[in-house]
Amino acid sequence: MGGLIQDIKLIGADLPKLEALREKGRNSFLNQGLPTAKTEAWKYTRVRELAGDDFVMEETCGKVCDKEHSSCCCQGKCALPFDAYEIHFCNGKLKEDHFHLPEGVQAMPLIDAVTENETTAFLNKSFEMQNFPFAALNTAYLEQGVFLRVARGVCPDKPLAFIHHSHGGVKRFANLRNIVVLETGAQATLIEAYQYSGEVKSEYFNNIVNEIFIGRQAVLRHYKVQSEALKAVHIALNAVKVRENGLYESFCRQKGANLARQETHVVLQESGAEAIVNAVYMMNGWATLDTTTDIEHPAQNTRSNQLVKGVVGGQAKGVFQGKIHIAPNAVQTEGYQLHKALLLSDEAEVDVKPELEIFADDVKCSHGATCGELDAEQLFYLQSRGIGAEEARQMLIEAFVDESFQLIKDDNIRHWMKRF
Amino acid sequence: MAEKPEIIDESGDKYKYGFVTNIESETVPKGLNEDIIRLISRKKGEPEWLLEKRLAAYRFWLNMKEPTWAKLSYDKINYQDLFYYAAPKQKAAPQSLNEVDPALLDTYNKLGIPLKEQEVLAGVVAVDAVFDSVSVATTYRAKLAEQGIIFCSISEAVKNHPDLVQKYLGSVVPYTDNFFACLNSAVFTDGSFVYIPKGVKCPMELSTYFRINAKNTGQFERTLIVADEGSYVSYLEGCTAPQRDENQLHAAIVEIVVLKDAEVKYSTVQNWYPGDKDGKGGVYNFVTKRAACRGDNAKVSWTQVETGSAVTWKYPSCILQGDNSCGEFYSVAITNNRQQADTGTKMIHIGKNTRSKIISKGISAGFSNQTYRGLVKVAPKAFNARNYSQCDSLLIGSTCGSHTVPYVENRCRSAVLEHEATTSKISDEQLFYCKQRGIGEEEAVSLIVNGFCKEVMQQLPMEFAIEAAKLINISLTGSIG
């Protein structure tokens, strides 16, 4: 397994439950091994090379990253252009453990939450390790991350934000686990941003798992921007559970990294639960960007909707895998899914697998997938009106992805995501 | 449908009994090894090269694993517990129609098959009937030969046209392709061979209908169709009535080679024995079908109506190598009771301006499960490739399942690919509307289902279409209420 499994000292070794869980994660990962082309869920995304890489896993020096590192990042670049309650991470570690948060919103370093038994009902409860090799690996190194809880009925006035910053230098492998809990009736917006400083060609590997629990009537709007360094690896899992009449709405924009995968696994546990999972990926170069969704409808009267758009140029590869699973007797459910991709160059590639798995008859389900290049007629139309070829292309590309961005209701967030 | 279990019990007994008598006559011993393959090859008087091919396939097969990726669950097949060469089960056949299960006869009546034909289908083999159909075949064969068309069994082709067979056999589906194709390459017993010479439009539809019934060929058929430049042929496969003769394992290969400007239309109505309502018995149907459009402007079209088999694993594919070549796939699959079907197609675009179209209609009822699994792959040089795929599923009842797993792999910028899939049920309003006008519930369902499948049924040749429509109704009997 190369540099992915290492013996390093983690905080919390004195907590037997945590140690046992780490051990389980480690064994689960070793049993599965790295996914290969034969692993159905990873058919199009090759991660084999990771095995040969020698990653550096930093021994911990506490709950927050040391001063030496934190001095190099940020410098105002990380800040959002609008007001938000920000929690900063540097190289996969919390920058500080004092947070400025409104009343009713509680946050603490994950390890503290584990120590105080706050996480018992949540930690590793939103996914099965045997289906997610990288989440199993993440479990083996459980330590860093944040536990965030929005209390019953609380609606923070500003978005909550996780701002991640990585910087070059050593070839670092960071595992991060966040737990987000919305209690009954709570409503919040969560922003997640991944960026880097220093060398564009920095090599590092961020392995992130967010476990999200949405209570009855609660609403979480989750916006993510992934703009890692060009040689970075970014593998993220959002494992979400939604209870009665809850709503999970997410929008993920991916544009960086050499190998990135955003996997969203939603379980609509109870009647009335709803999920909206949208994404846009745009890239050039040699990158592989993977968007994978798996929406489970185990309960009656649940709804899901997905719109994923991709623009692929250079020698890049775009991957979309989407699955809607409707359990027996989960009647009156609706599941829609649409993927559209635009190929800009002769060497670009798009691989798509939209899957429906339906075990009940009284359902409305559909999926669609299209793939093509810019419409020559539209280009001609613009050019015939005096718009240069390149500008016309840009306009059409922007119009193509704009359909997705329009789904973001908040103006500030939409502008920020578009310009990122 | 209530009588169905009885059919199983009786045929189950018959099955055992049938083989006992057969061992004395025309069956090679149970099991699979190199000696059995040599024996099959010798019985068929095959040349050395074919035996070598069989043995190579067998040796390769020994190291292969049975695929498990399909959404199918069935009891493990013991490949050593099968007969790999079985001749007609004459002694086991019922002697008159009175001995045939009345439920089966009822089905035939519904299909509208005349009594004489019923006798043939039920296996009440009146000797002259067999001869009749053979002679019919020969009459046609002479007529076809006038135009240079070769239509014969693959064993005859090996003897009479070895150069053609050697050139094309295994060129579309090599024995290394997959587990079941490899097994077939080692032990195939018979099948048909068609060669259409340059520029010839085959004047009639070629069919395996009679041949299979008459000769009662076994589980491992091998079909090879070669359409030379500028030729055309429409080929019909399968039986349109339930086979009395249930094979446990059916692993066939169909290879089609389409050269420049040629067109092949291949239609299948598959209605093997589906097992009883509890999922006991029935045929495991593992079929590899593939067409290669080798020349420019070649065209191939697959149409299939799948109503039978307990387990279906079948992906008729098109390799579009020639520029401007075109592949089509039209499918209706119906599963009821405990049937399982994992079926679809592969469209591999290699040449420029290649086009493909996929229309798949799946109907699941009872406790059945059905999967559409398709691949559309566009190679980097397949400029202006075009694909349109549509998969619609209709679910009848809340205990069945319907799944869609399309794979789209595009490596060409100028390719335009579209895929859409929907899932629905027969709405209460539709049923109410029909009932209000005095149409019974079952009739209403078949009306709606036939409307749902219309796009595909239109692709079938006339006589097939009528029977297929009736078959759909029969398959769905008892699925409502």
Side-chain angles (χ1 to χ4, degrees):
Chain A
M1 290 297 152
L4 294 181
I5 287 284
Q6 294 175 16
D7 277 318
I8 57 160
K9 216 166 76 197
L10 298 167
I11 344 176
D14 52 330
L15 300 170
K17 267 192 193 161
L18 181 63
E19 273 300 284
L21 188 58
R22 285 171 179 165
E23 184 65 26
K24 253 187 170 171
R26 188 187 176 110
N27 290 337
S28 172
F29 177 74
L30 288 173
N31 279 339
Q32 294 174 74
L34 275 178
T36 64
K38 297 223 161 158
T39 314
E40 188 61 29
W42 291 80
K43 193 175 161 65
Y44 294 119
T45 302
R46 302 292 148 82
V47 291
R48 208 71 221 158
E49 306 85 72
L50 290 179
D53 278 354
D54 284 322
F55 286 106
V56 177
M57 299 188 68
E58 288 175 349
E59 297 243 331
T60 192
C61 45
K63 284 172 266 182
V64 295
C65 75
D66 53 40
K67 288 283 178 303
E68 201 186 313
H69 283 158
S70 47
S71 62
C72 71
C73 75
C74 216
Q75 289 142 9
K77 277 200 299 179
C78 313
L80 295 168
F82 48 87
D83 266 356
Y85 297 105
E86 297 177 5
I87 295 176
H88 287 263
F89 294 82
C90 182
N91 291 336
K93 287 182 182 169
L94 275 171
K95 222 171 139 189
E96 51 199 13
D97 55 359
H98 296 290
F99 313 109
H100 168 63
L101 293 167
E103 204 175 320
V105 181
Q106 176 203 12
M108 58 170 101
L110 181 72
I111 199 78
D112 291 351
V114 174
T115 316
E116 290 168 26
N117 289 322
E118 292 276 4
T119 56
T120 322
F122 308 111
L123 191 60
N124 256 36
K125 293 288 194 288
S126 60
F127 62 93
E128 299 286 336
M129 284 198 287
Q130 74 259 24
N131 302 327
F132 301 95
F134 286 96
L137 187 61
N138 185 289
T139 307
Y141 296 106
L142 267 179
E143 179 193 60
Q144 298 298 325
V146 73
F147 175 75
L148 182 79
R149 174 159 40 201
V150 183
R152 198 182 172 99
V154 170
C155 310
D157 55 335
K158 288 183 283 187
L160 309 162
F162 294 165
I163 313 278
H164 297 265
H165 208 94
S166 300
H167 69 90
V170 290
K171 205 168 168 183
R172 190 182 332 93
F173 174 33
N175 286 285
L176 192 64
R177 171 77 56 105
N178 300 313
I179 295 176
V180 177
V181 179
L182 266 72
E183 293 182 347
T184 305
Q187 288 197 14
T189 298
L190 177 66
I191 286 170
E192 239 191 311
Y194 292 86
Q195 44 202 320
Y196 65 98
S197 64
E199 252 310 275
V200 178
K201 289 180 178 166
S202 308
E203 292 179 63
Y204 55 87
F205 177 8
N206 279 338
N207 183 19
I208 299 118
V209 175
N210 291 325
E211 296 194 69
I212 299 172
F213 299 85
I214 297 177
R216 297 197 173 92
Q217 283 97 40
V219 176
L220 181 69
R221 299 185 204 281
H222 185 182
Y223 302 101
K224 171 177 171 175
V225 170
Q226 182 271 102
S227 177
E228 304 271 26
L230 294 185
K231 283 195 159 179
V233 179
H234 177 99
I235 290 176
L237 168 69
N238 288 338
V240 187
K241 289 197 159 184
V242 189
R243 297 195 59 186
E244 197 179 337
N245 296 323
L247 167 68
Y248 175 69
E249 181 180 336
S250 77
F251 190 102
C252 172
R253 169 162 194 205
Q254 294 207 78
K255 59 175 267 201
N258 180 40
L259 169 64
R261 171 160 162 133
Q262 172 61 53
E263 189 159 356
T264 307
H265 174 65
V266 184
V267 183
L268 300 169
Q269 285 175 292
E270 291 167 358
S271 166
E274 183 174 356
I276 299 172
V277 179
N278 299 324
V280 164
Y281 60 88
M282 296 172 86
M283 79 282 206
N284 280 307
W286 288 268
T288 299
L289 290 192
D290 176 330
T291 303
T292 295
T293 65
D294 180 0
I295 317 275
E296 281 186 41
H297 293 256
Q300 296 190 5
N301 190 26
T302 47
R303 288 179 303 282
S304 69
N305 209 329
Q306 302 171 58
L307 175 64
V308 176
K309 287 200 160 190
V311 180
V312 189
Q315 286 162 294
K317 178 165 156 177
V319 177
F320 171 71
Q321 304 184 95
K323 191 189 226 175
I324 299 175
H325 175 95
I326 295 185
N329 302 319
V331 290
Q332 260 124 51
T333 49
E334 289 177 22
Y336 301 107
Q337 184 189 70
L338 183 61
H339 172 266
K340 289 184 174 182
L342 205 54
L343 262 69
L344 297 181
S345 75
D346 289 332
E347 281 135 310
E349 177 176 347
V350 169
D351 297 317
V352 183
K353 187 179 74 175
E355 239 178 291
L356 295 178
E357 213 173 50
I358 297 167
F359 289 98
D361 69 335
D362 190 6
V363 299
K364 284 183 193 153
C365 268
S366 72
H367 68 200
T370 64
C371 193
E373 65 175 333
L374 288 173
D375 189 336
E377 269 183 48
Q378 291 174 359
L379 274 173
F380 177 76
Y381 180 90
L382 291 173
Q383 284 180 267
S384 69
R385 273 145 188 83
I387 296 165
E390 189 47 37
E391 203 186 331
R393 275 164 54 89
Q394 288 307 328
M395 272 173 99
L396 288 177
I397 293 169
E398 204 170 302
F400 175 76
V401 291
D402 203 55
E403 185 193 346
S404 294
F405 285 117
Q406 290 305 327
L407 297 170
I408 304 171
K409 289 182 192 85
D410 185 298
D411 290 341
N412 286 331
I413 296 174
R414 184 174 60 247
H415 283 293
W416 171 71
M417 288 194 85
K418 267 172 94 167
R419 299 282 160 245
F420 204 90
Chain B
M1 278 294 137
E3 306 95 312
K4 265 211 145 177
E6 290 162 31
I7 304 178
I8 305 296
D9 291 340
E10 200 205 277
S11 52
D13 285 340
K14 203 172 78 66
Y15 183 73
K16 274 185 266 165
Y17 163 46
F19 272 118
V20 172
T21 30
N22 274 335
I23 291 169
E24 297 168 353
S25 54
E26 273 277 46
T27 318
V28 300
K30 242 184 201 178
L32 183 57
N33 53 49
E34 294 201 4
D35 290 338
I36 294 281
I37 292 168
R38 287 203 177 84
L39 187 62
I40 294 172
S41 190
R42 199 163 56 240
K43 267 185 184 291
K44 296 172 68 64
E46 284 175 359
E48 193 63 21
W49 65 264
L50 192 54
L51 175 63
E52 283 309 315
K53 247 187 165 170
R54 284 176 182 274
L55 290 173
Y58 173 70
R59 284 165 198 151
F60 193 82
W61 181 77
L62 288 176
N63 292 318
M64 288 181 104
K65 281 205 181 86
E66 203 172 323
T68 51
W69 42 259
K71 278 195 178 78
L72 300 171
S73 70
Y74 51 91
D75 295 337
K76 212 169 156 36
I77 300 164
N78 181 354
Y79 294 92
Q80 294 303 335
D81 197 33
L82 295 172
F83 293 97
Y84 287 87
Y85 184 84
K89 298 192 261 171
Q90 276 164 1
K91 282 188 185 169
Q95 295 308 307
S96 79
L97 272 180
N98 299 335
E99 291 177 36
V100 178
D101 195 291
L104 199 62
L105 290 178
D106 191 36
T107 312
Y108 289 156
N109 286 329
K110 281 189 195 163
L111 271 175
I113 294 173
L115 196 70
K116 186 78 176 174
E117 228 168 292
Q118 280 184 28
E119 288 183 334
V120 176
L121 292 173
V124 187
V125 190
V127 179
D128 56 350
V130 172
F131 278 116
D132 270 350
S133 57
V134 168
S135 60
V136 168
T138 14
T139 334
Y140 283 141
R141 202 187 293 177
K143 206 172 152 191
L144 292 169
E146 281 172 25
Q147 302 204 30
I149 297 170
I150 305 167
F151 178 36
C152 61
S153 77
I154 201 114
S155 339
E156 283 173 71
V158 168
K159 286 191 195 104
N160 304 330
H161 312 279
D163 45 335
L164 278 174
V165 176
Q166 205 168 355
K167 184 171 172 192
Y168 292 110
L169 192 73
S171 74
V172 185
V173 182
Y175 65 79
T176 51
D177 193 81
N178 69 65
F179 184 82
F180 299 108
C182 191
L183 179 63
N184 176 291
S185 303
V187 300
F188 71 87
T189 39
D190 220 327
S192 33
F193 174 75
V194 177
Y195 174 78
I196 315 290
K198 274 185 193 171
V200 172
K201 303 260 178 277
C202 185
M204 65 187 74
E205 262 138 5
L206 302 183
S207 164
T208 50
Y209 184 87
F210 285 106
R211 194 181 49 76
I212 283 185
N213 283 306
K215 294 194 178 165
N216 201 358
T217 44
Q219 304 110 319
F220 303 97
E221 301 145 34
R222 181 107 193 184
T223 302
L224 174 61
I225 299 174
V226 180
D228 214 325
E229 291 180 15
S231 64
Y232 168 83
V233 64
S234 168
Y235 189 91
L236 316 177
E237 180 220 74
C239 48
T240 50
Q243 282 267 34
R244 190 79 170 97
D245 186 18
E246 74 275 23
N247 299 310
Q248 279 308 298
L249 175 65
H250 178 253
I253 294 183
V254 176
E255 288 180 285
I256 303 181
V257 178
V258 194
L259 300 178
K260 194 165 171 279
D261 300 319
E263 180 178 348
V264 174
K265 192 173 158 59
Y266 194 105
S267 312
T268 311
V269 174
Q270 185 264 107
N271 188 33
W272 297 108
Y273 183 55
D276 72 351
K277 68 175 173 29
D278 300 316
K280 210 172 100 193
V283 173
Y284 294 169
N285 194 26
F286 298 97
V287 185
T288 307
K289 291 185 169 182
R290 195 171 304 155
C293 290
R294 297 249 164 99
D296 295 353
N297 310 317
K299 184 177 176 186
V300 68
S301 161
W302 297 100
T303 307
Q304 61 172 27
V305 175
E306 301 276 322
T307 60
S309 295
V311 170
T312 302
W313 181 98
K314 180 178 172 188
Y315 315 92
S317 314
C318 303
I319 300 170
L320 305 169
Q321 279 166 291
D323 292 349
N324 313 319
S325 57
C326 172
E328 288 173 353
F329 175 76
Y330 299 95
S331 166
V332 170
I334 298 179
T335 52
N336 199 352
N337 300 322
R338 302 272 173 182
Q339 276 177 278
Q340 304 173 68
D342 195 304
T343 182
T345 184
K346 283 184 191 175
M347 294 290 174
I348 317 282
H349 294 257
I350 298 168
K352 297 184 189 79
N353 304 318
T354 45
R355 285 159 296 145
S356 64
K357 186 174 176 182
I358 300 169
I359 307 284
S360 167
K361 306 276 181 182
I363 298 128
S364 322
F367 292 90
S368 70
N369 265 296
Q370 195 173 118
T371 306
Y372 166 82
R373 189 182 298 275
L375 169 69
V376 175
K377 189 171 184 165
V378 182
K381 295 274 157 60
F383 302 115
N384 301 317
R386 185 81 177 85
N387 163 266
Y388 175 73
S389 313
Q390 188 190 336
C391 312
D392 296 325
S393 312
L394 191 68
L395 291 114
I396 302 176
S398 58
T399 48
C400 55
S402 164
H403 320 300
T404 319
V405 194
Y407 296 78
V408 182
E409 301 177 15
N410 184 9
R411 302 195 57 189
C412 178
R413 169 165 61 155
S414 55
V416 178
L417 313 177
E418 289 172 274
H419 170 94
E420 55 181 325
T422 63
T423 301
S424 55
K425 66 162 198 162
I426 296 177
S427 74
D428 294 338
E429 287 96 64
Q430 281 173 318
L431 275 182
F432 178 73
Y433 183 91
C434 291
K435 285 206 281 197
Q436 198 189 27
R437 275 150 186 81
I439 299 167
E441 185 151 292
E442 291 227 324
E443 216 180 320
V445 168
S446 79
L447 201 67
I448 294 162
V449 168
N450 272 300
F452 177 76
C453 310
K454 206 170 86 189
E455 265 174 288
V456 175
M457 302 303 259
Q458 280 166 348
Q459 299 295 326
L460 285 172
M462 245 300 267
E463 60 274 46
F464 251 41
I466 296 165
E467 289 187 10
K470 285 180 183 163
L471 202 58
I472 288 173
N473 299 349
I474 291 173
S475 305
L476 289 173
T477 311
S479 62
I480 283 282

